[in-house]
Amino acid sequence: MSDEQKQNHNWAANQQRLWDDLMALGELTEPGIPYTRRSFSEMFLKGRDYLTKRFEEAGLDTFVDENGNLIGRLEGTDPERGTLMIGSHSDTVPGGGRFDGVAGVVAGLEVARALKDAGIRLKHNLEIVDCLAEEMSEYGLSCIGTRGMTGQLKPEMLDYKGPNEESLRDAITRMGGKPDAIKQESRKDIKGYLELHIEQGKVLETAGLDIGVVTTIVGITRIEITVKGLPDHAGTTPMDLRKDALSGAVEIIAGIRDKAKEIAKKGEGYFVATTGEVTVEPNAANVVPSTVKLVIDSRAQTRVLMEEFLAFINDVMPNLATAQGVEVSEVKILSDSLHSECDDDLSDLVKDMSDQLGLTSMRMTSGAGHDAAFFSRIAPTAMVFVPCKDGRSHCPEEWSEPEQIAAGTAVVFETLCKMDAR
Ligand code: HGY
Ligand code: MN
Ligand code: MN
């Protein structure tokens, strides 16, 4: 981005308005844990209240749909054409940042305001969406609102349990949704979906580029592994007589790490796997661990790579525990989403609009999951990445510059106007 563009660009987006909303939302975080607004929490609802007010001020007809998504809608001059959607998510990971997700929601809001400022009424209906629970939630599922809107939230998922044994069904109700009205088929009126998101990696920053045009969004498979041992006195149980579940779990964690490195090194596509959650029972220093639950987050650019990893989980991983004298008592697939492809034609449009605005760009894969992955299965979908500082994300250091967000928003604005004219 040229210095001249940084100073006085004539993009549609009002940079200061965007930035003020982002920083105000960043203040809505659990006390002492920057920046945390977990889905289904009271703090999340505070963020929803802020967005609702701003949506209404922008003249959007604002409501929560049956899936728990917050939607701001502008009827088009020719509603029969269907709906164009700009969305992302306002929930965060624990100790997350101020940009992941919420930058995309605020960008959509800013596009709506910029259209109003310019006196532009689209032919299509326009919906700005804050998708419920994009991040992996305490109910064992991510992208909950988007799955619902696109007919991919299976009925049995509503019985998933969260804190205090609350069902996902009740949690969605608490967010203003109507779980009994959730359909097993997608909305039919969505004719295109755009999502601005920080890259959450350092490819754009390293290459000195302004915009990432996303091609593939990795498939994500999350697996819960339970390792069973025997609780015993840590002092009186000799090493060769104990059944220490954690000793088995650490071998599994190391085995998963090594298998992921082996697959990634093949150069046949992007692959990563993380053991991000470990629960030890009874979790006391003087008790031999009886049970360990691991949650694995694995991501692959192709299904072939994911199948290779799943074969390792099924055929090799249990032996790592038995070698330590304990056993894997359960392997549960929490979610299994295929990789998804953004729409070529719409992505070409994003690239053309970036060029037209004098912004540099490249096509790239997303190692992060996004709401766009679910929309891509039901409507033409494109993602606009903007750089983030040092590629950091899912941490308080997450940062992107005001003009970087404004540039991405301008690309979304111009792309939307072209989509509407088609
Ligand atoms: O985990 C992810 O990829 C996304 O940030 N939810
Ligand atoms: Mn995230
Ligand atoms: Mn995100």
Coordinates of all heavy atoms in Angstrom, one line a residue, residues 139-201:
Y139 N -19.3 -26.3 23.7 CA -20.3 -27.4 23.4 C -19.7 -28.4 22.4 O -20.4 -29.2 21.9 CB -21.6 -26.8 22.9 CG -22.2 -25.9 23.9 CD1 -21.7 -24.6 24.1 CD2 -23.3 -26.3 24.8 CE1 -22.2 -23.8 25.1 CE2 -23.8 -25.5 25.8 CZ -23.2 -24.2 26.0 OH -23.7 -23.4 27.0
G140 N -18.4 -28.2 22.2 CA -17.7 -29.2 21.3 C -17.9 -29.0 19.8 O -17.7 -29.9 19.0
L141 N -18.4 -27.8 19.5 CA -18.7 -27.5 18.0 C -18.3 -26.1 17.7 O -18.4 -25.2 18.5 CB -20.2 -27.8 17.8 CG -20.7 -28.0 16.4 CD1 -20.1 -29.3 15.8 CD2 -22.2 -28.2 16.4
S142 N -18.0 -25.9 16.4 CA -17.7 -24.5 15.9 C -18.7 -24.2 14.8 O -19.4 -25.1 14.4 CB -16.3 -24.5 15.4 OG -16.2 -25.4 14.3
C143 N -18.7 -22.9 14.4 CA -19.5 -22.5 13.2 C -21.0 -22.9 13.4 O -21.6 -23.4 12.5 CB -19.0 -23.1 11.9 SG -17.4 -22.3 11.5
I144 N -21.5 -22.8 14.6 CA -22.8 -23.3 15.0 C -23.9 -22.5 14.2 O -24.8 -23.2 13.6 CB -23.0 -23.2 16.5 CG1 -22.1 -24.2 17.2 CG2 -24.5 -23.5 16.9 CD1 -22.0 -24.1 18.7
G145 N -23.9 -21.2 14.2 CA -24.9 -20.4 13.5 C -24.9 -20.7 12.0 O -25.9 -20.8 11.4
T146 N -23.6 -20.8 11.5 CA -23.5 -21.0 10.0 C -24.0 -22.4 9.6 O -24.6 -22.6 8.6 CB -22.0 -20.8 9.6 OG1 -21.6 -19.6 10.2 CG2 -21.9 -20.8 8.1
R147 N -23.6 -23.4 10.4 CA -24.1 -24.7 10.1 C -25.7 -24.7 10.1 O -26.3 -25.3 9.2 CB -23.7 -25.8 11.2 CG -22.2 -26.1 11.2 CD -21.9 -26.9 12.4 NE -20.4 -26.9 12.7 CZ -19.6 -27.9 12.4 NH1 -20.0 -28.9 11.7 NH2 -18.3 -27.8 12.7
G148 N -26.3 -24.0 11.1 CA -27.7 -23.9 11.1 C -28.3 -23.3 9.9 O -29.2 -23.8 9.2
M149 N -27.7 -22.2 9.5 CA -28.3 -21.4 8.3 C -28.1 -22.2 7.0 O -28.9 -22.0 6.1 CB -27.5 -20.1 8.2 CG -28.2 -19.1 7.3 SD -27.1 -17.6 7.0 CE -27.5 -16.6 8.4
T150 N -27.1 -23.1 7.0 CA -26.9 -23.8 5.7 C -27.3 -25.2 5.8 O -26.8 -26.1 5.0 CB -25.4 -23.7 5.4 OG1 -24.6 -24.3 6.4 CG2 -24.9 -22.2 5.2
G151 N -28.1 -25.6 6.8 CA -28.7 -26.9 6.8 C -27.6 -28.0 7.2 O -27.8 -29.2 6.9
Q152 N -26.6 -27.6 7.9 CA -25.5 -28.5 8.3 C -25.4 -28.7 9.8 O -24.4 -29.2 10.3 CB -24.2 -28.0 7.7 CG -24.2 -27.9 6.1 CD -23.0 -27.3 5.5 OE1 -21.9 -27.9 5.5 NE2 -23.1 -26.0 5.0
L153 N -26.4 -28.3 10.6 CA -26.4 -28.5 12.0 C -27.3 -29.7 12.3 O -28.5 -29.6 12.3 CB -26.9 -27.2 12.7 CG -26.8 -27.3 14.3 CD1 -25.3 -27.3 14.7 CD2 -27.5 -26.1 14.9
K154 N -26.7 -30.8 12.5 CA -27.5 -32.1 12.6 C -28.3 -32.1 13.9 O -27.8 -31.5 15.0 CB -26.5 -33.3 12.6 CG -25.7 -33.4 11.3 CD -24.9 -34.7 11.4 CE -23.9 -34.7 10.2 NZ -22.5 -34.6 10.7
P155 N -29.5 -32.6 14.0 CA -30.3 -32.6 15.2 C -29.6 -33.1 16.4 O -29.7 -32.5 17.5 CB -31.5 -33.5 14.8 CG -31.6 -33.5 13.3 CD -30.1 -33.3 12.8
E156 N -28.8 -34.1 16.2 CA -28.1 -34.7 17.4 C -27.1 -33.7 18.0 O -26.8 -33.8 19.2 CB -27.4 -36.0 17.1 CG -26.4 -36.0 16.0 CD -26.9 -36.2 14.6 OE1 -28.1 -36.0 14.5 OE2 -26.1 -36.7 13.8
M157 N -26.7 -32.8 17.2 CA -25.7 -31.8 17.8 C -26.3 -30.9 18.8 O -25.7 -30.4 19.7 CB -25.1 -31.0 16.6 CG -24.2 -31.7 15.7 SD -23.7 -30.7 14.2 CE -22.4 -31.7 13.5
L158 N -27.7 -30.7 18.7 CA -28.4 -29.8 19.7 C -28.3 -30.4 21.1 O -28.6 -29.7 22.0 CB -29.8 -29.6 19.2 CG -29.9 -28.7 17.9 CD1 -31.4 -28.7 17.5 CD2 -29.4 -27.3 18.2
D159 N -28.0 -31.7 21.2 CA -27.9 -32.3 22.5 C -26.5 -32.3 23.0 O -26.3 -32.8 24.2 CB -28.4 -33.8 22.4 CG -29.9 -33.9 22.0 OD1 -30.6 -33.0 22.5 OD2 -30.3 -34.7 21.2
Y160 N -25.6 -31.8 22.3 CA -24.2 -31.6 22.8 C -24.3 -30.8 24.1 O -25.1 -29.9 24.2 CB -23.3 -30.9 21.8 CG -22.8 -31.7 20.7 CD1 -23.3 -33.0 20.4 CD2 -21.8 -31.3 19.8 CE1 -22.9 -33.8 19.3 CE2 -21.4 -32.0 18.7 CZ -21.9 -33.2 18.5 OH -21.4 -34.0 17.4
K161 N -23.5 -31.2 25.1 CA -23.5 -30.5 26.4 C -22.4 -29.6 26.6 O -21.3 -29.8 26.1 CB -23.5 -31.6 27.5 CG -24.8 -32.5 27.6 CD -25.9 -31.8 28.2 CE -27.2 -32.6 28.4 NZ -27.7 -33.2 27.2
G162 N -22.7 -28.5 27.3 CA -21.6 -27.5 27.6 C -21.6 -27.3 29.1 O -21.9 -28.2 29.9
P163 N -21.1 -26.2 29.5 CA -20.9 -25.9 31.0 C -22.2 -26.2 31.7 O -23.3 -25.9 31.2 CB -20.5 -24.4 31.0 CG -19.9 -24.1 29.7 CD -20.7 -25.0 28.7
N164 N -22.1 -26.7 32.9 CA -23.3 -27.0 33.8 C -24.3 -28.0 33.1 O -25.5 -27.9 33.3 CB -24.0 -25.7 34.2 CG -23.0 -24.7 34.8 OD1 -22.2 -25.1 35.6 ND2 -23.1 -23.5 34.3
E165 N -23.7 -28.8 32.2 CA -24.5 -29.8 31.5 C -25.7 -29.1 30.6 O -26.6 -29.8 30.3 CB -25.1 -30.8 32.4 CG -24.1 -31.8 33.0 CD -23.4 -32.6 31.9 OE1 -24.1 -33.4 31.2 OE2 -22.2 -32.4 31.6
E166 N -25.5 -27.8 30.3 CA -26.5 -27.2 29.5 C -26.4 -27.7 28.0 O -25.3 -27.9 27.5 CB -26.3 -25.7 29.4 CG -27.3 -24.9 28.6 CD -27.0 -23.4 28.4 OE1 -25.8 -23.1 28.3 OE2 -28.0 -22.6 28.5
S167 N -27.6 -28.0 27.4 CA -27.6 -28.5 26.0 C -27.3 -27.3 25.1 O -27.6 -26.2 25.4 CB -28.9 -29.1 25.7 OG -29.9 -28.1 25.6
L168 N -26.8 -27.7 23.9 CA -26.6 -26.6 22.9 C -27.9 -26.0 22.5 O -28.0 -24.8 22.3 CB -25.9 -27.2 21.7 CG -25.6 -26.3 20.5 CD1 -24.8 -25.1 20.9 CD2 -24.9 -27.0 19.3
R169 N -28.9 -26.8 22.5 CA -30.3 -26.4 22.2 C -30.7 -25.2 23.1 O -31.1 -24.1 22.7 CB -31.3 -27.5 22.4 CG -32.8 -27.1 22.2 CD -33.7 -28.3 22.4 NE -33.6 -29.3 21.3 CZ -32.9 -30.4 21.4 NH1 -32.2 -30.7 22.5 NH2 -32.8 -31.2 20.4
D170 N -30.5 -25.4 24.5 CA -30.8 -24.3 25.4 C -29.9 -23.1 25.3 O -30.3 -22.0 25.4 CB -30.7 -24.9 26.9 CG -31.8 -25.9 27.1 OD1 -32.8 -26.0 26.3 OD2 -31.8 -26.6 28.1
A171 N -28.6 -23.4 24.9 CA -27.7 -22.3 24.8 C -28.1 -21.4 23.6 O -28.0 -20.2 23.7 CB -26.3 -22.8 24.6
I172 N -28.5 -22.0 22.5 CA -28.9 -21.2 21.3 C -30.2 -20.4 21.7 O -30.3 -19.3 21.3 CB -29.2 -22.2 20.1 CG1 -27.9 -22.8 19.6 CG2 -29.9 -21.4 19.0 CD1 -28.1 -23.8 18.5
T173 N -31.0 -21.0 22.5 CA -32.2 -20.3 22.9 C -31.8 -19.1 23.7 O -32.4 -18.0 23.5 CB -33.2 -21.2 23.7 OG1 -33.5 -22.4 23.0 CG2 -34.4 -20.5 24.1
R174 N -30.8 -19.2 24.6 CA -30.4 -18.1 25.4 C -29.8 -17.0 24.5 O -29.8 -15.8 24.9 CB -29.2 -18.6 26.3 CG -29.6 -18.7 27.8 CD -28.5 -19.1 28.7 NE -27.4 -19.9 28.3 CZ -26.2 -19.4 28.1 NH1 -25.9 -18.2 28.2 NH2 -25.2 -20.3 27.7
M175 N -29.3 -17.3 23.3 CA -28.8 -16.3 22.4 C -29.8 -15.7 21.6 O -29.5 -14.9 20.7 CB -27.7 -16.9 21.6 CG -26.5 -17.4 22.3 SD -25.6 -16.1 23.2 CE -26.0 -16.5 24.9
G176 N -31.1 -16.1 21.8 CA -32.2 -15.5 21.0 C -32.6 -16.4 19.8 O -33.5 -16.0 19.0
G177 N -32.0 -17.6 19.7 CA -32.4 -18.4 18.6 C -33.6 -19.3 18.9 O -34.1 -19.2 20.0
K178 N -34.1 -20.0 17.9 CA -35.3 -20.9 18.1 C -34.9 -22.3 17.6 O -35.3 -22.6 16.4 CB -36.5 -20.3 17.4 CG -37.0 -19.0 18.0 CD -38.2 -18.5 17.2 CE -38.6 -17.1 17.8 NZ -37.5 -16.1 17.6
P179 N -34.2 -23.1 18.4 CA -33.7 -24.4 17.9 C -34.7 -25.2 17.2 O -34.4 -25.9 16.3 CB -33.1 -25.0 19.2 CG -33.0 -23.9 20.2 CD -33.9 -22.8 19.8
D180 N -35.9 -25.2 17.7 CA -37.0 -26.1 17.1 C -37.3 -25.7 15.7 O -37.9 -26.4 14.9 CB -38.2 -26.1 18.0 CG -38.0 -26.7 19.3 OD1 -36.9 -27.4 19.5 OD2 -38.7 -26.5 20.3
A181 N -36.9 -24.4 15.3 CA -37.2 -24.0 14.0 C -36.0 -24.2 13.0 O -36.0 -23.8 11.9 CB -37.6 -22.5 14.0
I182 N -34.9 -24.7 13.6 CA -33.7 -24.9 12.7 C -34.0 -26.0 11.7 O -34.5 -27.0 12.0 CB -32.5 -25.3 13.6 CG1 -32.1 -24.1 14.5 CG2 -31.3 -25.7 12.7 CD1 -31.0 -24.4 15.5
K183 N -33.7 -25.7 10.4 CA -34.0 -26.6 9.4 C -32.8 -27.5 9.0 O -31.7 -27.1 9.2 CB -34.5 -25.8 8.1 CG -35.7 -24.9 8.4 CD -36.0 -24.0 7.2 CE -37.0 -22.9 7.6 NZ -36.5 -21.9 8.6
Q184 N -33.1 -28.6 8.4 CA -32.1 -29.5 7.9 C -31.8 -29.2 6.4 O -31.3 -30.1 5.7 CB -32.5 -31.0 8.1 CG -32.4 -31.4 9.6 CD -31.2 -31.0 10.3 OE1 -30.1 -31.3 9.9 NE2 -31.3 -30.2 11.4
E185 N -32.2 -28.0 6.0 CA -31.9 -27.6 4.6 C -31.5 -26.2 4.7 O -31.8 -25.4 5.6 CB -33.1 -27.8 3.7 CG -34.3 -27.1 4.2 CD -35.5 -27.0 3.2 OE1 -35.4 -27.8 2.3 OE2 -36.4 -26.2 3.4
S186 N -30.7 -25.8 3.6 CA -30.1 -24.5 3.6 C -31.1 -23.4 3.2 O -32.1 -23.8 2.5 CB -28.9 -24.4 2.6 OG -28.5 -23.1 2.4
R187 N -30.9 -22.2 3.6 CA -31.7 -21.1 3.0 C -31.4 -21.1 1.5 O -30.4 -21.4 1.0 CB -31.2 -19.8 3.6 CG -31.9 -19.3 4.9 CD -31.4 -18.0 5.4 NE -31.4 -16.9 4.4 CZ -31.1 -15.6 4.8 NH1 -30.7 -15.4 6.0 NH2 -31.1 -14.7 3.9
K188 N -32.5 -20.8 0.8 CA -32.4 -20.9 -0.7 C -32.1 -19.5 -1.3 O -31.8 -19.4 -2.5 CB -33.7 -21.4 -1.3 CG -34.0 -22.9 -0.8 CD -33.1 -23.9 -1.4 CE -33.5 -25.3 -1.0 NZ -33.0 -25.6 0.4
D189 N -32.2 -18.5 -0.5 CA -32.2 -17.1 -1.2 C -30.8 -16.5 -1.2 O -30.6 -15.4 -1.8 CB -33.1 -16.2 -0.4 CG -32.6 -16.0 1.1 OD1 -32.2 -17.0 1.7 OD2 -32.5 -14.9 1.5
I190 N -29.8 -17.2 -0.6 CA -28.4 -16.6 -0.5 C -27.7 -16.8 -1.9 O -27.5 -17.9 -2.3 CB -27.6 -17.3 0.6 CG1 -28.3 -17.1 2.0 CG2 -26.2 -16.7 0.7 CD1 -27.7 -17.9 3.1
K191 N -27.4 -15.7 -2.5 CA -26.9 -15.7 -3.9 C -25.4 -15.4 -3.9 O -24.7 -15.5 -4.9 CB -27.6 -14.7 -4.8 CG -29.1 -15.0 -4.9 CD -29.4 -16.4 -5.4 CE -30.9 -16.6 -5.4 NZ -31.2 -18.1 -5.4
G192 N -24.8 -15.1 -2.7 CA -23.4 -14.8 -2.7 C -23.0 -14.4 -1.3 O -23.8 -13.8 -0.5
Y193 N -21.8 -14.8 -0.8 CA -21.3 -14.5 0.5 C -19.9 -14.0 0.4 O -19.0 -14.6 -0.3 CB -21.4 -15.8 1.4 CG -20.8 -15.7 2.8 CD1 -21.6 -15.1 3.8 CD2 -19.5 -16.0 3.1 CE1 -21.0 -15.0 5.1 CE2 -19.0 -15.9 4.3 CZ -19.7 -15.4 5.3 OH -19.2 -15.2 6.6
L194 N -19.6 -12.9 1.1 CA -18.3 -12.3 1.2 C -17.8 -12.3 2.6 O -18.7 -11.9 3.5 CB -18.3 -10.9 0.6 CG -18.5 -10.8 -0.9 CD1 -18.6 -9.3 -1.3 CD2 -17.4 -11.4 -1.7
E195 N -16.6 -12.5 2.9 CA -16.1 -12.4 4.3 C -14.7 -11.8 4.3 O -13.8 -12.3 3.6 CB -16.0 -13.8 5.0 CG -15.5 -13.7 6.4 CD -15.8 -15.0 7.2 OE1 -16.4 -16.0 6.7 OE2 -15.3 -15.1 8.4
L196 N -14.5 -10.7 5.0 CA -13.2 -10.1 5.2 C -12.7 -10.8 6.5 O -13.4 -10.9 7.5 CB -13.3 -8.6 5.4 CG -12.0 -7.9 5.8 CD1 -11.9 -6.5 5.0 CD2 -11.9 -7.7 7.3
H197 N -11.4 -11.1 6.5 CA -10.8 -11.7 7.7 C -9.3 -11.4 7.8 O -8.7 -11.3 6.7 CB -11.0 -13.2 7.7 CG -11.0 -13.9 9.1 ND1 -9.9 -14.0 9.9 CD2 -12.0 -14.4 9.8 CE1 -10.3 -14.5 11.0 NE2 -11.5 -14.8 11.0
I198 N -8.8 -11.2 8.9 CA -7.3 -11.1 9.0 C -6.7 -12.4 8.6 O -7.3 -13.5 8.8 CB -6.8 -10.7 10.4 CG1 -7.3 -11.6 11.5 CG2 -7.2 -9.2 10.7 CD1 -6.6 -11.5 12.8
E199 N -5.5 -12.4 8.0 CA -5.0 -13.6 7.5 C -4.7 -14.7 8.6 O -4.8 -15.9 8.4 CB -3.7 -13.3 6.7 CG -3.0 -14.5 6.1 CD -1.5 -14.3 5.8 OE1 -1.1 -13.1 5.6 OE2 -0.8 -15.3 5.7
Q200 N -4.3 -14.2 9.7 CA -3.9 -15.1 10.9 C -2.6 -15.9 10.5 O -2.4 -17.0 11.0 CB -5.1 -16.0 11.3 CG -6.3 -15.3 11.7 CD -7.4 -16.2 12.1 OE1 -7.9 -16.9 11.2 NE2 -7.9 -16.2 13.3
G201 N -1.9 -15.4 9.6 CA -0.6 -15.9 9.2 C 0.3 -14.8 8.7 O -0.2 -13.6 8.7

